[in-house]
């Protein structure tokens, strides 16, 4: 069999690229794998594919007879993955019986209709398993088939060794995979950690920090790594913003490869942190700086042109992901917030109530403004809106740590208060009423409170708080009532 790599036809229907083959193999290795696949495919009973490990995945380097075979699978996926992980050949003489018994399905890897058997043989290079030769059979196994496949796998493994071994996982491939994974993240901290890990892996610098734009517009450190990480995280206030502003005005990155390189004043703090070589890269989204990546090392080190280009791509993708994450957070906040007061609304209140912990007890407090309709009718809705914002601020000022306030209707508010007993709940409700009174907004508030009972549903707890509110209203307004333990009346059918 010819596995000398002299041709590039690695798979029928798929041409090889000069210097590289499917799965990221070198052209020589890809040609050798393609030669084995083509040789086996010459026997109409065989449907072969060759899989090599790269970057934690088994990648299909060559194959024949299946158009929809996946390009890569996990090392523990199906019979191919199990063969690679165990380093032992696998023979499935009857695929139909295996399928019925809940075993490997030939269709998992795109096996054509009519396959009746499958054999997977590990590929070894210098006594190390580097991949799998997988062959599906259109007809039952014959005597000698296993010896044929073992011989092909052994010859291919020897040829791969002659060509320098299985394809290595290059820095470019690793960086591109990390860049792709960033797109799935929507948390700024996770994005910062992902960017930093990829940047350190790409370069010879062993330390770094990534800062992200905070709500107040300044940059704050979100991820640290390496021996100089703590020093980078302790840079003087404003130093990160000065670096980002400097980079935003011109080049997207600044590199100092040794202590002899000139350093702009805004980057001098990096020298003070112990960095003899460093790289600063700004991350932008919609033409605005949203983050800054700093890489540093205690000894001279210079980036190659390829490393600099990949680092730029990484920063570009990181900035885009940070911008998208902030947009998603903003949309979520809007969706969960009352636009007038900035409090949570009716839906977020009920969501919080359903997830509230009952130890310590979470009391439900409902508040209804007294006289708000008259005030709104007399002075107009703009004045009414100002009053509602003032009431929200007053009620918020009376909350303690862990308490939460919501606007659940036009002039209705609700709070979830952490209390130890009914007396503490009544005291907290009174504090809310007094806060509105002290604000002198021209309205008062009636308050109903319910403390949960054992086994009580959220709906029952809220209904008792509403009944207590009605009692406070009926008692002359501007009062606080605590729900009793009387059972609720049966609701009439709708």
């Amino acid at each position: 069999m010819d596995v000398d790599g002299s041709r590039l036809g690695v798979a029928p229907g798929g041409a090889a690229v000069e210097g590289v083959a499917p799965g990221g193999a070198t052209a020589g290795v890809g040609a050798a794998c393609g030669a084995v696949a083509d040789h086996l495919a010459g026997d109409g009973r065989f449907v072969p594919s060759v899989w090599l490990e790269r970057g934690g995945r088994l990648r299909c380097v060559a194959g024949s007879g299946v158009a929809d075979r996946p390009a890569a699978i996990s090392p523990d996926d199906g019979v191919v993955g199990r063969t690679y992980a165990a380093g032992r050949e696998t023979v499935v003489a009857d695929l139909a019986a295996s399928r019925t018994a809940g075993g490997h399905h030939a269709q998992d890897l795109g096996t054509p209709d009519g396959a009746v058997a499958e054999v997977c043989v590990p590929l070894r290079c210098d006594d190390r398993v580097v991949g799998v030769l997988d062959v599906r059979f259109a007809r039952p196994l014959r005597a000698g088939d296993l010896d044929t496949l073992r011989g092909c796998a052994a010859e291919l493994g020897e040829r791969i060794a002659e060509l320098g071994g299985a394809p290595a996982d290059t820095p470019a491939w690793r960086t591109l995979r990390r860049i792709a994974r960033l797109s799935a993240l929507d948390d700024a901290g996770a994005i910062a950690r992902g960017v930093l890990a990829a940047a350190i892996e790409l370069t010879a610098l062993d330390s770094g920090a990534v800062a992200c734009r905070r709500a107040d517009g300044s940059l704050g450190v979100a991820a640290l790594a390496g021996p100089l990480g703590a020093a980078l995280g302790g840079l003087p206030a404003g130093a990160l913003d000065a670096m980002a502003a400097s980079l935003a005005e011109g080049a997207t990155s600044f590199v100092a490869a040794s202590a002899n390189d000139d350093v702009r004043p805004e980057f001098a703090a990096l020298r003070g942190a112990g960095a003899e070589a460093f790289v600063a890269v700004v991350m932008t989204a919609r033409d605005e700086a949203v983050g800054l990546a700093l890489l540093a090392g205690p000894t001279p080190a210079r980036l190659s042109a390829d490393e600099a280009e990949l680092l730029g791509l990484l920063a570009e993708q990181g900035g885009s992901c940070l911008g998208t994450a902030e947009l998603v957070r903003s949309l979520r906040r809007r969706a969960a917030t009352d636009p007038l007061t900035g409090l949570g609304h009716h839906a977020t209140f009920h969501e919080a109530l359903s997830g509230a912990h009952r130890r310590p007890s979470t009391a439900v407090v409902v508040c209804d403004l007294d006289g708000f309709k008259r005030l709104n009718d007399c002075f107009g809705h703009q004045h009414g809106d100002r009053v509602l914002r003032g009431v929200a601020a007053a009620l918020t000022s009376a909350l303690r740590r862990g308490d939460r306030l919501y606007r659940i209707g036009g002039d209705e508010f609700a709070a979830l208060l952490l209390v130890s007993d009914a007396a503490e709940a009544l005291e907290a409700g009174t504090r809310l009423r007094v806060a509105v009174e002290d604000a002198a907004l021209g309205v008062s508030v009636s308050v109903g409170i319910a403390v949960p009972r054992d086994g009580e549903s959220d709906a029952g707890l809220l209904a008792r708080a509403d009944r207590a509110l009605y009692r406070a209203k009926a008692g002359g307004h501007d009062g606080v009532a605590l729900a009793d333990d009387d059972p609720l009346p049966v609701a009439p059918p709708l």
Side-chain angles (χ1 to χ4, degrees), residues 368-388:
D368 188 83
L369 301 188
D370 305 319
F372 179 74
K373 184 177 184 306
R374 173 187 53 77
L375 183 147
N376 215 24
D377 291 342
C378 291
F379 299 103
H381 291 288
Q382 287 187 338
H383 178 74
D385 288 347
R386 287 194 293 271
V387 170
L388 288 173

Side-chain angles (χ1 to χ4, degrees), residues 82-472:
R82 291 196 295 272
T83 298
Y84 171 80
R88 297 190 300 270
E89 69 181 41
T90 304
V91 179
V92 184
D94 188 341
L95 284 173
S98 175
R99 188 179 304 115
T100 301
H104 165 72
H105 284 220
Q107 288 80 357
D108 288 351
L109 296 180
T111 301
D113 292 339
V116 299
E118 180 172 10
V119 174
C120 288
V121 183
L123 294 173
R124 285 184 167 81
C125 176
D126 298 327
D127 295 325
R128 183 173 67 91
V129 177
V130 297
V132 173
L133 171 62
D134 175 57
V135 179
R136 288 72 178 278
F137 293 76
R139 298 182 182 86
L141 290 170
R142 297 177 182 173
D145 284 343
L146 290 179
D147 289 337
T148 297
L149 300 185
R150 291 165 183 161
C152 288
E155 190 174 348
L156 179 56
E158 291 173 2
R159 182 57 183 155
I160 291 174
E162 292 172 2
L163 292 168
D169 201 22
T170 66
W173 278 97
R174 290 195 298 269
T175 301
L176 290 174
R177 281 198 297 272
R178 286 185 177 274
I179 286 175
R181 288 196 289 267
L182 289 177
S183 302
L185 304 176
D186 61 3
D187 174 72
I191 294 169
R193 291 189 293 273
V195 168
L196 183 56
I200 289 179
E201 184 179 60
L202 175 64
T203 70
L205 302 173
D206 63 359
S207 302
V210 171
C212 299
R213 188 70 65 190
R214 297 183 293 202
D216 63 1
S218 64
L219 287 173
V221 173
L224 295 171
L228 298 179
L232 295 176
L235 291 174
L240 298 174
D241 296 284
M243 294 180 203
S246 174
L247 295 176
E249 292 173 359
T252 57
S253 65
F254 180 73
V255 180
S258 73
N260 297 323
D261 291 345
D262 291 334
V263 175
R264 303 177 194 173
E266 56 271 21
F267 293 98
L270 293 173
R271 288 280 192 242
E276 181 160 335
F278 64 82
V279 181
V281 189
V282 70
M283 295 185 287
T284 62
R286 295 178 290 278
D287 296 326
E288 292 186 4
V290 295
L292 180 70
L294 301 175
L295 301 176
T299 58
R302 191 173 298 278
L303 295 184
S304 68
D306 287 344
E307 288 173 338
E309 183 175 2
L310 286 170
L311 190 59
L313 289 174
L314 177 64
E316 183 178 333
Q317 180 68 8
S320 176
C321 291
L322 286 173
T324 300
E326 176 54 36
L327 178 60
V328 169
R329 285 194 299 272
S330 176
L331 292 175
R332 286 174 177 167
R333 284 194 297 268
R334 289 188 193 179
T337 302
D338 166 44
L340 179 64
T341 62
L343 300 174
H345 50 49
H346 184 272
T348 51
F349 165 70
H350 282 277
E351 181 180 355
L353 176 61
S354 66
H357 298 290
R358 297 298 180 87
R359 293 187 183 90
S361 296
T362 302
V364 171
V365 178
V366 288
C367 308
D368 188 83
L369 301 188
D370 305 319
F372 179 74
K373 184 177 184 306
R374 173 187 53 77
L375 183 147
N376 215 24
D377 291 342
C378 291
F379 299 103
H381 291 288
Q382 287 187 338
H383 178 74
D385 288 347
R386 287 194 293 271
V387 170
L388 288 173
R389 286 193 291 267
V391 168
L395 293 173
T396 299
S397 70
L399 298 179
R400 301 162 303 176
R401 178 184 291 242
D403 295 341
R404 289 167 287 175
L405 180 67
Y406 306 84
R407 182 189 176 202
I408 60 173
D411 60 348
E412 296 176 88
F413 296 83
L416 298 175
L417 308 180
L418 297 179
V419 298
S420 57
D421 53 32
E424 186 179 355
L426 184 60
E427 179 185 350
T430 301
R431 193 165 55 249
L432 293 173
R433 186 200 68 76
V434 172
V436 174
E437 179 181 61
D438 291 345
L441 297 166
V443 293
S444 60
V445 64
S446 295
V447 180
I449 307 167
V451 177
R453 301 181 299 199
D454 290 340
E456 185 175 30
S457 67
D458 292 335
L461 176 63
L462 183 57
R464 288 197 301 115
D466 281 335
R467 288 183 66 195
L469 173 64
Y470 299 150
R471 288 212 324 270

